[in-house]
């Protein structure tokens, strides 16, 4: 384990569909990079010093790394399931730690206060116990049996329902959310949060979705998700400290924060500390 | 409550005391070593859950592997083992 | 609303019954700024997960666990607040005295200068005490200024005026203070220029 354990991970650096031969100038973990898609359709990522970086294209995005990824990008089998609408939501820049953006995505207790009348509403604020584990085979954090009352769980939902969720953290700055799918009982809608760490306290968030919803226009799906993330941004940019504390000495986690604690423990275990605060203050 | 892991840090015991105080829980630490800390905590079960959760993360130089809980006579606690 | 004091940012709020209160601007749960919160009755709630706090700082409710009565020990640090003569005073640490009385004046406006207190004092040719200072930029215009440092480089200026001032006097005072601010900012730039 080295200090920069996160350096060898894959990170999203752009939407494949929006790239062309004109390089998109962006950054990865404090270093300038350029991302382009060449005429023959290959994605190319170059570091500021002219080095060609590892590349893969998956889930609508171009992924890259400053180091040497030891594994392929994590799998999302549902992405290839027929009948799903794949939604490239776009990018939202947030002035916070990339790890904070993931932690917030794992949190349901804020729904009634931050996404009022959409993902939650008072007085339905109680967070029932749910299960959290680190799946050893894949080395991922999973939270299951997460249930929450929602006035409008999805664009395709009308009226309030109790929605069930599963959360999965397959990489330090990525999270996959599975959520009951109103038009198709038995299936799960997939909503992901891919976070590009620009710096320890600045990130580009790339939500992406694979839904069973052929009724709602694409622009409405994108809008719905953007509205949600803009609400989250107003929180994320106003949390103290800006980095994610791995020592909760200045905080008071409760059972509702079980996923957050499991995520932070997992980060700590792997020495994934880019964007983390190590000593509480 | 028994905390197991790599606990070889002087910072942990005061950290535990501070966290318990913040939660309004009384605590008595009966054993400390580099792999095991034993303490008795008294208070409402929700707050003891919060205590366990906080300790499972702890200060950065400590790694908590597991926390076991066993009810003590007269305590309102219930067993809730959470292997990690 | 957020406010800054020499010991850090605070959340300043007024309860439904009208009483002012001040707490640290950091929720003890997971660090959200409490100045973004909302007031319901006599409590301030955090906008993130809705934990609510009394004026005395103790946590009253954790919505995710409605059955739990939060212990007295879960609390946000607070500051003593006094409201008199239209001005809200916040004590930093233990208050040793009542805030100064400012009789016969009413608050006009507050503005931020990108200059230290010393530069404003120099521009006005006066020295501020606990009750600020009286400043007379022109005859028949008597202004009281309260200066609050906001970090090392900024100062919040509260402007108070005789309570029988006419509209034109209030406009003149407002302009005069803006000029004062510009002068102080120029002084500050000159002082810090290499
Ligand atoms: S951070 Fe304030 S309630 Fe959670
Ligand atoms: Fe959210």
């Amino acid at each position: 384990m080295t200090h920069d354990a996160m350096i060898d991970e894959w990170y999203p650096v752009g939407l494949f569909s929006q790239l062309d031969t004109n390089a998109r100038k962006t950054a990865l973990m404090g270093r300038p990079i350029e991302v382009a898609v060449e005429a023959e359709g290959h994605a190319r990522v170059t570091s500021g010093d002219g080095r060609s970086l590892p590349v893969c294209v998956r889930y609508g995005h171009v992924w890259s790394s400053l180091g040497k990824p030891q594994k392929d990008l994590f799998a999302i089998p549902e992405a290839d399931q027929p009948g799903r609408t794949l939604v490239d939501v776009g990018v939202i820049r947030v002035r916070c730690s990339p790890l904070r953006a993931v932690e917030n995505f794992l949190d349901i207790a804020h729904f009634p206060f931050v996404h009022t009348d959409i993902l939650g509403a008072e007085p339905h604020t109680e967070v029932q116990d749910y299960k959290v584990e680190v799946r050893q085979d894949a080395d991922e954090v999973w939270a299951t049996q997460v249930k929450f009352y929602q006035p409008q769980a999805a664009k395709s939902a009308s009226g309030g329902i109790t929605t069930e969720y599963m959360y999965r953290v397959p990489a330090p700055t990525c999270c996959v959310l599975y959520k009951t799918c109103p038009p198709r009982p038995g299936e799960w809608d997939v909503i992901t949060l891919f976070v590009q760490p620009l710096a320890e306290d600045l990130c580009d968030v790339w939500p992406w979705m694979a839904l069973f919803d052929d009724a709602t226009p694409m622009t409405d799906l994108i809008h719905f998700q953007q509205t949600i993330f803009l609400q989250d941004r107003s929180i994320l940019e106003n949390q103290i400290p800006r980095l994610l504390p791995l020592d909760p000495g200045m905080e008071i986690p409760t059972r509702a924060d079980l996923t957050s604690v499991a995520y932070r423990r997992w980060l700590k275990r792997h020495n994934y500390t880019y964007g983390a605060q190590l000593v509480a203050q | 409550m028994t905390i197991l892991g790599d606990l070889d840090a002087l910072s942990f015991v005061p950290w535990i005391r501070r966290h318990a105080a913040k939660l309004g829980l009384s605590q008595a630490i009966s054993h400390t070593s580099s792999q095991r800390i034993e303490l008795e905590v008294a208070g409402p079960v929700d707050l003891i859950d919060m205590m366990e959760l906080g300790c499972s993360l702890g200060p950065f130089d400590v790694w908590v592997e597991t926390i076991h809980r066993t009810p003590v006579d007269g305590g309102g606690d219930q067993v809730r083992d959470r292997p990690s | 609303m957020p406010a800054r004091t020499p010991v850090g940012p605070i959340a300043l709020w007024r309860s439904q019954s009208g009483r002012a209160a001040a707490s640290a601007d950091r929720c003890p749960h997971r660090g959200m700024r409490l100045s973004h919160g909302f007031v319901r009755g006599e409590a301030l709630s955090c906008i993130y997960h809705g934990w609510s706090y009394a004026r005395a700082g103790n946590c009253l409710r954790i919505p995710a666990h409605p059955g739990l009565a939060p212990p007295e020990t879960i609390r946000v640090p607070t500051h003593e607040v006094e409201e008199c003569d239209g001005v809200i005073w916040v004590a930093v640490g233990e208050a040793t005295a009542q805030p100064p009385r400012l009789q016969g004046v009413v608050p006009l406006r507050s503005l931020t200068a990108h200059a230290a207190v010393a530069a404003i004092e120099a521009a006005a040719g006066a020295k501020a005490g606990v009750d600020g200072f009286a400043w007379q930029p022109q005859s028949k215009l008597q202004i009281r200024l309260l200066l609050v440092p906001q970090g090392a480089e900024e100062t919040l200026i509260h402007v108070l005026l005789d309570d029988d001032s006419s509209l034109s006097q209030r406009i003149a005072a407002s302009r005069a203070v803006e000029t004062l601010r510009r002068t102080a900012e120029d002084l500050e730039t000159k002082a810090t220029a290499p």
Side-chain angles (χ1 to χ4, degrees):
Chain A
M1 273 191 270
T2 61
H3 171 72
D4 274 343
M6 279 171 69
I7 207 108
D8 293 324
E9 295 288 322
W10 289 106
Y11 298 101
V13 293
L15 267 179
F16 184 77
S17 61
Q18 287 181 357
L19 287 160
D20 54 29
T21 51
N22 297 316
R24 167 183 138 88
K25 288 189 182 10
T26 173
L28 190 55
M29 299 172 87
R31 313 274 188 80
I33 58 166
E34 292 193 359
V35 188
V37 170
E38 287 163 351
E40 342 56 284
H42 302 298
R44 243 182 90 83
V45 181
T46 324
S47 69
D49 53 16
R51 215 159 38 102
S52 271
L53 298 178
V55 175
C56 72
V57 177
R58 202 75 184 86
Y59 320 126
H61 293 78
V62 176
W63 299 75
S64 188
S65 174
L66 291 179
K68 297 189 185 66
Q70 308 295 307
K71 307 186 280 191
D72 287 345
L73 185 64
F74 53 87
I76 306 178
E78 294 78 9
D80 302 320
Q81 208 179 349
R84 286 188 185 257
T85 307
L86 307 181
V87 188
D88 297 342
V89 176
V91 67
I92 297 146
R93 174 150 308 176
V94 189
R95 184 154 287 285
C96 75
S97 154
L99 309 177
R100 280 246 191 236
V102 172
E103 179 185 70
N104 171 71
F105 192 70
L106 297 170
D107 183 88
I108 57 166
H110 72 281
F111 289 172
F113 304 99
V114 180
H115 310 299
T116 313
D117 296 335
I118 307 174
L119 299 184
E122 290 184 276
H124 309 279
T125 56
E126 180 162 12
V127 175
Q128 290 161 32
D129 285 359
Y130 53 85
K131 298 238 166 344
V132 175
E133 61 182 331
V134 174
R135 297 207 173 153
Q136 295 302 340
D137 47 344
D139 191 23
E140 297 181 350
V141 181
W142 278 78
T144 55
Q145 301 175 27
V146 185
K147 295 191 192 72
F148 210 71
Y149 174 86
Q150 303 200 313
Q152 193 197 354
K155 200 67 209 172
S156 59
S158 55
I161 42 168
T162 295
T163 309
E164 190 173 337
Y165 286 80
M166 295 193 289
Y167 288 94
R168 166 183 172 212
V169 181
T173 70
C174 293
C175 180
V176 184
L177 156 65
Y178 299 88
K179 167 173 190 177
T180 36
C181 165
R184 273 221 210 181
E187 294 285 0
W188 299 87
D189 274 340
V190 172
I191 302 176
T192 69
L193 194 74
F194 303 143
V195 182
Q196 174 181 359
L198 299 169
E200 289 208 76
D201 59 356
L202 184 68
C203 57
D204 272 348
V205 173
W206 303 90
W208 183 80
M209 306 192 282
L211 312 175
F212 285 111
D213 182 346
D214 37 30
T216 313
M218 186 65 95
T219 50
D220 289 10
L221 291 173
I222 293 175
H223 259 116
F224 181 78
Q225 226 32 249
Q226 279 176 345
T227 308
I228 302 282
F229 282 105
L230 290 176
Q231 292 172 333
D232 285 319
R233 182 167 73 178
S234 68
I235 297 293
L236 287 167
E237 297 194 334
N238 289 290
Q239 261 177 296
I240 304 169
R242 200 159 268 172
L243 301 184
L244 181 74
L246 292 188
D247 169 353
M250 295 288 282
E251 301 180 325
I252 307 178
T254 79
R255 239 170 28 243
D257 300 307
L258 195 55
T259 323
S260 146
V261 170
Y263 171 57
R264 294 186 194 191
R265 275 173 60 82
W266 181 80
L267 293 173
K268 182 173 164 177
R269 171 97 289 191
H270 292 283
N271 221 7
Y272 291 147
T273 55
Y274 190 82
Q277 183 204 51
L278 306 188
V279 177
Q281 50 186 316
Chain B
M1 186 178 284
T2 308
I3 305 175
L4 301 173
D6 294 328
L7 314 176
D8 203 5
L10 294 171
S11 56
F12 202 21
V13 168
W15 193 101
I16 291 172
R17 293 218 162 91
R18 254 195 330 268
H19 207 71
K22 207 155 61 171
L23 295 171
L25 296 169
S26 62
Q27 84 355 86
I29 298 180
S30 54
H31 174 95
T32 60
S33 70
S34 58
Q35 287 105 47
R36 188 162 58 94
I37 293 178
E38 268 173 41
L39 68 155
E40 220 171 273
V41 191
V45 67
D46 278 335
L47 293 173
I48 296 178
D49 286 347
M50 286 157 75
M51 182 68 189
E52 179 186 340
L53 214 55
C55 291
S56 75
L57 205 50
F60 188 70
D61 44 10
V62 155
W63 174 254
V64 173
E65 197 59 50
T66 22
I67 298 181
H68 296 294
R69 273 163 62 176
T70 38
V72 178
D73 285 347
D77 196 3
Q78 67 188 63
V79 187
R80 190 195 283 265
D81 268 8
R82 189 172 290 134
S84 343
Chain C
M1 64 172 279
R4 281 197 276 169
T5 74
V7 292
I10 58 167
L12 189 60
W13 56 286
R14 192 186 286 288
S15 74
Q16 212 142 45
S17 71
R19 303 185 63 189
S23 75
D25 198 6
R26 176 176 180 172
C27 179
H29 175 225
R30 263 165 51 186
M32 181 63 195
R33 285 191 187 279
L34 284 172
S35 55
H36 289 245
F38 55 96
V39 175
R40 244 184 230 164
E42 300 303 294
L44 173 67
S45 297
C46 175
I47 191 65
Y48 200 0
H49 309 97
W51 291 27
S52 60
Y53 302 91
R55 293 179 61 249
N58 53 304
C59 178
L60 297 168
R61 208 171 89 86
I62 298 179
H65 306 288
L68 171 68
E72 271 289 312
T73 47
I74 298 186
R75 56 195 313 122
V76 58
T78 53
H79 295 272
E80 238 179 279
V81 178
E82 284 291 338
E83 193 169 0
C84 57
D85 310 312
V87 177
I88 295 173
W89 299 82
V90 174
V92 170
E94 206 70 44
T96 50
Q98 283 293 305
R101 296 305 305 261
L102 304 167
Q103 266 144 1
V105 291
V106 287
L108 177 71
R109 61 178 290 200
S110 301
L111 65 173
T112 302
H114 295 275
V117 169
I120 298 170
E121 289 175 336
K127 193 103 189 88
V130 278
D131 57 350
F133 60 85
W135 183 48
Q136 192 160 19
Q138 9 177 312
S139 61
K140 292 216 202 103
L141 199 57
Q142 179 74 20
I143 303 176
R144 177 154 294 274
L145 298 179
L146 300 175
L147 304 183
V148 191
Q150 310 278 290
E153 280 133 40
E154 285 181 22
T155 305
L156 184 59
I157 309 173
H158 300 295
V159 185
L160 299 98
L161 214 51
D162 282 350
D163 51 13
D164 55 4
S165 302
S166 65
L167 178 61
S168 61
Q169 278 173 318
R170 288 179 5 222
I171 294 170
S174 190
R175 294 229 172 97
V177 177
E178 277 167 24
T179 309
L180 176 70
R181 166 168 69 176
R182 264 195 306 280
T183 315
E185 287 175 349
D186 288 347
L187 280 177
E188 185 78 47
T189 329
K190 281 204 200 98
T192 53

